[in-house]
Amino acid sequence: MVAESIARRSLIKGGLSAAALSVGALAAGSALAGCAPSSKSEEPLQFWQFYAPAPQQTGPLVQQSKWFMDAVDSWNKKNSQQVKPVFIPAYTNPANTRLATAFAANAGPDIFLLSPGDFLRYYNGDALLDLAPYMSQDAIDDFYPEALGTRKVGDGIYGLPMEIEPLALIYNQKSFEKAGLSEADVPKNWEQMLDVGEKLSTNSQAGLVLEVVPGYYQNFTFYPWLWQGKGDVVDPATQRPQLAEAPFQNALDLFGQSIKRGISPRTLPANGDLPVAFKAGYAAMWQSGIWQLAAFKQETPDLPYGIAPLPTPKGGEPRTILGGWAWVVNKHGRNPEAAAKFVVETMGSMSEESIKRVSDWCFGAKSDMSPRKSSEKLMAANGAFEESHMKIFKELILPTGRGEPRFPPVVYKTVSNALQAVQLAGASAASQADTAQQALEAYLANYRGAPLL
């Protein structure tokens, strides 16, 4: 349904607008460090997120809200320090600055959800508590490195992921049949993707949908195309920008060509609701993620659709990105120790309850891959990967994944500006790449903070 699709899309944007970046993020190092709600342990700890209590009473959001409420209720029944879930509307909408503003006003939540894309804003701002002291080594080792890596600094663990969400190419089988195409025509490389997209494009149907709204989510969808050409934004080893290299220019050009050739729309069909767009014949192919499986099941259970790995450029390699949200603790909150115990006992202990809770989130409340080995094993035992689309994600797409990178807001914005200029304003990919490279060289020369990964 619309709410689910849009929710996921806005959530993973990770957050904050360019305006917020300019006033909050750029000064994060000093602004966030001072955040400290008054210490009143008798008050419930506030858990800010975008799931519970659900404002809507239909669709998958109800299941997701119930999962959150059950997790909180389970803790509250056993502990005097209570936790209160706080639903934040448009939690990470690019225009919503509520979270950063709360921290800047010394009123940040005790626990909140955070994406890798926004991790450094809060880590570099000294806002996050290290959860490692509250975890057993077995539990730490139970998390997949791809899921936990971008939440670690040294041996410290500053967030526990609740899911893994890879991207894929999702295609409308009815659109293919109507155009005289078959499964054999599902594109495997970029040229094929654009050519097939042209064949599928009509006055009312987009041949290929790529994200157009600027924000963390658009960057998230862009990175795998860059990585497929063996490029990067910043070399993790040298911490030097790589934007002047051919892979970045080529990925920018891919987005620009899809618009210039009339294959991709400038606005999202059906307001971003993929199942509805497919059912109405508004879109034929769409780069999106595993969470859409639950949306299809809820909204259009009888609509035939296919899943394929993202096409790769000639000479490139299969790559996707592994997104997902993590539970984090405000180190300056009301009762950080209790908050850490709540997060770890709920999401990151080796208890049967914790393992089952993560499994139930990824296979039940949503359709995701598990960040934990034990929970994935439980999912498999419950038949999660017997469904054909989940099996494709598990066997073909997940192994090509790389964790969503963490960059400071300035790095994110530099990439976003280049992408928007090429995609929607028709700018030269080469010139935008050079401009972005120079901007990042100047910024990173004086950057002080956790490594960019």
Side-chain angles (χ1 to χ4, degrees):
M1 59 191 303
V2 174
E4 163 64 13
S5 260
I6 294 176
R8 171 60 209 174
R9 184 160 48 81
S10 63
L11 305 184
I12 205 164
K13 284 172 181 170
L16 300 166
S17 66
L21 298 176
S22 65
V23 298
L26 298 181
S30 58
L32 297 180
C35 298
S38 59
S39 179
K40 296 180 179 179
S41 60
E42 68 274 16
E43 295 180 356
L45 303 181
Q46 291 196 7
F47 182 10
W48 285 22
Q49 32 70 41
F50 38 79
Y51 288 106
Q56 300 180 2
Q57 298 304 315
T58 59
L61 291 180
V62 173
Q63 293 177 292
Q64 293 158 14
S65 175
K66 183 178 185 304
W67 183 93
F68 267 84
M69 297 302 290
D70 288 347
V72 171
D73 287 345
S74 177
W75 165 270
N76 285 342
K77 288 177 181 175
K78 296 179 285 188
N79 296 276
S80 59
Q81 176 61 73
Q82 300 289 282
V83 173
K84 178 183 178 182
V86 180
F87 178 87
I88 305 297
Y91 183 74
T92 58
N93 185 299
N96 187 353
T97 63
R98 183 168 175 177
L99 182 61
T101 301
F103 272 96
N106 210 25
D110 302 285
I111 307 151
F112 56 107
L113 294 186
L114 189 62
S115 77
D118 220 15
F119 175 85
L120 289 181
R121 181 199 307 273
Y122 294 92
Y123 176 82
N124 289 345
D126 194 33
L128 303 182
L129 183 71
D130 181 7
L131 302 175
Y134 301 90
M135 299 178 69
S136 70
Q137 190 59 50
D138 285 348
I140 294 173
D141 294 341
D142 193 46
F143 281 87
Y144 286 107
E146 296 83 358
L148 199 59
T150 51
R151 280 86 175 197
K152 294 183 68 177
V153 180
D155 292 329
I157 297 172
Y158 296 89
L160 294 186
M162 60 191 295
E163 60 203 5
I164 294 178
E165 299 192 311
L167 294 182
L169 186 71
I170 304 177
Y171 58 96
N172 189 338
Q173 292 178 337
K174 284 191 173 180
S175 296
F176 269 62
E177 292 173 6
K178 192 174 181 180
L181 302 175
S182 67
E183 295 285 336
D185 296 301
V186 175
K188 294 180 175 56
N189 61 53
W190 289 8
E191 289 185 5
Q192 291 175 351
M193 181 170 66
L194 295 177
D195 290 343
V196 170
E198 282 186 328
K199 295 176 181 176
L200 292 165
S201 297
T202 69
N203 290 335
S204 59
Q205 176 176 272
L208 169 67
V209 178
L210 299 176
E211 182 61 42
V212 293
V213 179
Y216 279 91
Y217 180 70
Q218 188 184 36
N219 284 27
F220 171 77
T221 67
F222 175 76
Y223 296 137
W225 306 108
L226 168 63
W227 298 339
Q228 289 177 352
K230 304 175 186 177
D232 215 328
V233 174
V234 175
D235 185 332
T238 66
Q239 298 290 285
R240 302 295 303 165
Q242 304 292 301
L243 302 186
E245 306 295 329
F248 184 68
Q249 296 181 32
N250 293 340
L252 288 178
D253 193 56
L254 174 67
F255 274 63
Q257 287 298 320
S258 72
I259 294 288
K260 289 178 182 176
R261 293 171 59 173
I263 303 165
S264 297
R266 291 177 175 273
T267 57
L268 297 176
N271 199 26
D273 190 320
L274 195 160
V276 168
F278 272 19
K279 184 177 182 179
Y282 295 154
M285 298 188 291
W286 200 312
Q287 183 197 11
S288 192
I290 190 172
W291 62 89
Q292 295 288 1
L293 304 190
F296 274 110
K297 186 176 182 180
Q298 288 283 338
E299 298 178 47
T300 56
D302 298 326
L303 184 71
Y305 68 96
I307 302 288
L310 295 176
T312 58
K314 288 185 177 178
E317 59 188 15
R319 275 300 209 179
T320 192
I321 189 168
L322 308 177
W325 290 81
W327 294 27
V328 301
V329 171
N330 176 4
K331 68 185 296 184
H332 305 291
R334 296 170 179 80
N335 189 342
E337 182 175 0
K341 289 179 178 177
F342 164 69
V343 169
V344 169
E345 289 185 19
T346 304
M347 300 298 298
S349 84
M350 294 306 293
S351 71
E352 290 185 12
E353 183 178 359
S354 178
I355 293 169
K356 184 177 185 302
R357 196 172 300 286
V358 176
S359 175
D360 288 347
W361 175 254
C362 296
F363 181 54
K366 291 188 71 180
S367 54
D368 286 330
M369 292 294 160
S370 171
R372 300 185 56 178
K373 301 166 189 171
S374 57
S375 297
E376 181 184 277
K377 185 177 180 180
L378 183 56
M379 288 172 62
N382 289 329
F385 308 118
E386 294 173 6
E387 194 278 328
S388 61
H389 294 135
M390 283 288 279
K391 188 173 183 179
I392 291 172
F393 269 108
K394 176 72 167 57
E395 296 182 357
L396 296 182
I397 298 173
L398 186 65
T400 70
R402 169 180 164 181
E404 181 181 357
R406 65 183 191 202
F407 297 133
V410 170
V411 176
Y412 140 74
K413 193 66 171 62
T414 299
V415 174
S416 179
N417 287 345
L419 180 53
Q420 285 285 301
V422 174
Q423 182 187 34
L424 298 177
S428 159
S431 66
Q432 289 300 311
D434 287 342
T435 300
Q437 175 74 14
Q438 292 174 25
L440 285 199
E441 286 180 351
Y443 171 72
L444 292 176
N446 297 305
Y447 171 73
R448 298 292 182 272
L452 282 58
L453 301 175

